[in-house]
């Protein structure tokens, strides 16, 4: 549709868009019941079954990993002092009862 045609039929264009918005509004009312987000699996789905099996076999919390990035403004990554700091951090995290495994 050209700009001239849209200008001549502006009420048609406006009413068409109003109808589209009205239809979308009706369907959007269903969204909260249909959409799910977050880290939880959708109940009854294959991912929910896999999540349950992994939790049963390996224990709760094994699906959630938390990467830790270590940075220093004063030490290079290859500096032995930096490596020692990372090792201390690794031992400290590994000593937390809720932590299953720490890799560095």
């Amino acid at each position: 549709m050209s700009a001239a045609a849209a200008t001549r039929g502006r009420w048609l264009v406006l009413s068409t868009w109003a109808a589209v918005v009205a239809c979308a509004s009706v369907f959007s009312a269903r969204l909260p019941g249909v959409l799910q987000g977050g880290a939880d699996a959708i109940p009854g789905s294959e991912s929910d079954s896999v999540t349950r099996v992994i939790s049963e076999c390996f224990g709760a919390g094994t699906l959630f990993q938390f990467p830790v990035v270590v940075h220093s403004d004063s030490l290079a990554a290859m500096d032995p002092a930096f490596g020692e700091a990372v090792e201390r951090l690794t031992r400290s995290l590994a000593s937390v009862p809720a932590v299953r495994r720490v890799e560095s």
Side-chain angles (χ1 to χ4, degrees), residues 10-26:
R10 65 182 172 265
W11 291 113
L12 176 63
V13 171
L14 288 174
S15 61
T16 301
W17 276 110
V20 168
V21 169
C23 289
S25 298
V26 169

Side-chain angles (χ1 to χ4, degrees), residues 5-85:
T7 303
R8 284 192 304 271
R10 65 182 172 265
W11 291 113
L12 176 63
V13 171
L14 288 174
S15 61
T16 301
W17 276 110
V20 168
V21 169
C23 289
S25 298
V26 169
F27 290 113
S28 69
R30 292 187 57 228
L31 286 178
V34 176
L35 294 179
Q36 293 187 4
D40 295 334
I42 297 172
S45 68
E46 290 180 13
S47 61
D48 183 41
S49 299
V50 170
T51 300
R52 278 188 279 114
V53 169
I54 289 174
S55 292
E56 289 168 4
C57 292
F58 298 103
T62 54
L63 292 174
F64 304 103
Q65 299 176 8
F66 298 97
V68 176
V69 177
V70 181
H71 170 78
S72 174
D73 289 330
S74 61
L75 297 173
M78 301 308 265
D79 190 321
F82 185 83
E84 291 169 10

